Amino acid sequence: MNDLNHSRSAGGDFEMNGFSDEELAAAAAAGDPEAFDQLISRTAPILLRFVRRMVDDAQVAEDIAQETLLAVWRGLPDFAFRSRVRTWILGIAHRKVVDHYRRHRDYPTDGQDFESLASAEPLPSDQAERAELVVALRAELTQLPPTSRAVWWLREVEGLSLAEISGVLGISNGSVRGHLQRSRAFLTTRLAPWRPGAGGPAAPEEVGISGERRRE
């Protein structure tokens, strides 16, 4: 916070890009709206992507994202920095998603059987282009139990660590690992007919939502 004030008093254009999320959060908690705006500009993209993957209705997803940002603003003074700011924000978003489905009484259970999911109508066996693989991936993600879907997305697309995902979803590292393994196995089976190029099936954990192979 003192560093931020010093940067302002030094004159010239005030740039916040050099400060960490945690420093911005501390300043925002003290009532600095500019620091909050900068923090949100950094975290909003991952927040929106995550909520839109968890909620099919685009307008509902936007509303949940807005509710999350409001909760972040209100909760910053009590944020104890026991986790990274990004993890804390995604955790709020996850709880908002769960609350939404509970209100509508249509939140699927995590006990849903993977074998029954895999026995759905077979996928087309013809060769598919990369764009079709991405469409298929998005469709199959909706078939996963919600926690498994969240784990896969946060790990394979957003690149969070297992510990960070554990903090977001409020489950153990072992549970995160189990959900990730089952999700990868399910998606690998379901996406097997999609063989981009001559290199064989693209493993779902290697394919981001844009269709590009994921880099480790």
Side-chain angles (χ1 to χ4, degrees), residues 107-151:
Y107 193 65
T109 65
D110 286 329
Q112 199 169 2
D113 187 70
F114 275 84
E115 285 71 23
S116 66
L117 291 174
S119 65
E121 289 297 315
L123 294 171
S125 59
D126 56 305
Q127 189 75 14
E129 299 295 331
R130 178 61 59 88
E132 292 174 328
L133 169 64
V134 174
V135 171
L137 173 59
R138 286 172 172 163
E140 295 303 336
L141 280 173
T142 67
Q143 301 302 310
L144 289 171
T147 300
S148 297
R149 188 194 319 177
V151 167

Side-chain angles (χ1 to χ4, degrees), residues 15-154:
E15 294 292 341
M16 293 186 176
N17 291 335
F19 294 99
S20 70
D21 291 349
E22 285 65 35
E23 289 171 325
L24 291 172
D32 187 332
E34 292 182 62
F36 182 73
D37 288 345
Q38 178 68 17
L39 177 65
I40 294 309
S41 71
R42 290 184 187 180
T43 55
I46 183 176
L47 167 64
L48 288 170
R49 286 194 301 266
F50 174 65
V51 176
R52 286 170 179 168
R53 283 306 104 201
M54 298 302 295
V55 179
D56 293 334
D57 188 302
Q59 185 57 58
V60 172
E62 292 285 343
D63 291 343
I64 290 175
Q66 290 297 326
E67 291 175 10
T68 300
L69 295 180
L70 180 59
V72 168
W73 175 249
R74 289 174 173 170
L76 272 172
D78 299 319
F79 179 50
F81 294 92
R82 287 189 291 268
S83 66
R84 295 176 63 187
V85 172
R86 179 178 64 169
T87 303
W88 175 63
I89 292 175
L90 288 174
I92 294 174
H94 173 68
R95 290 190 292 275
K96 294 289 184 184
V97 169
V98 171
D99 288 346
H100 162 74
Y101 280 115
R102 283 176 176 165
R103 287 196 300 270
H104 292 80
R105 298 184 179 180
D106 59 354
Y107 193 65
T109 65
D110 286 329
Q112 199 169 2
D113 187 70
F114 275 84
E115 285 71 23
S116 66
L117 291 174
S119 65
E121 289 297 315
L123 294 171
S125 59
D126 56 305
Q127 189 75 14
E129 299 295 331
R130 178 61 59 88
E132 292 174 328
L133 169 64
V134 174
V135 171
L137 173 59
R138 286 172 172 163
E140 295 303 336
L141 280 173
T142 67
Q143 301 302 310
L144 289 171
T147 300
S148 297
R149 188 194 319 177
V151 167
W152 188 92
W153 183 268
L154 292 173

Side-chain angles (χ1 to χ4, degrees), residues 193-210:
W194 273 258
R195 298 174 180 270
E205 62 268 26
E206 294 180 341
V207 180
I209 207 65
S210 66

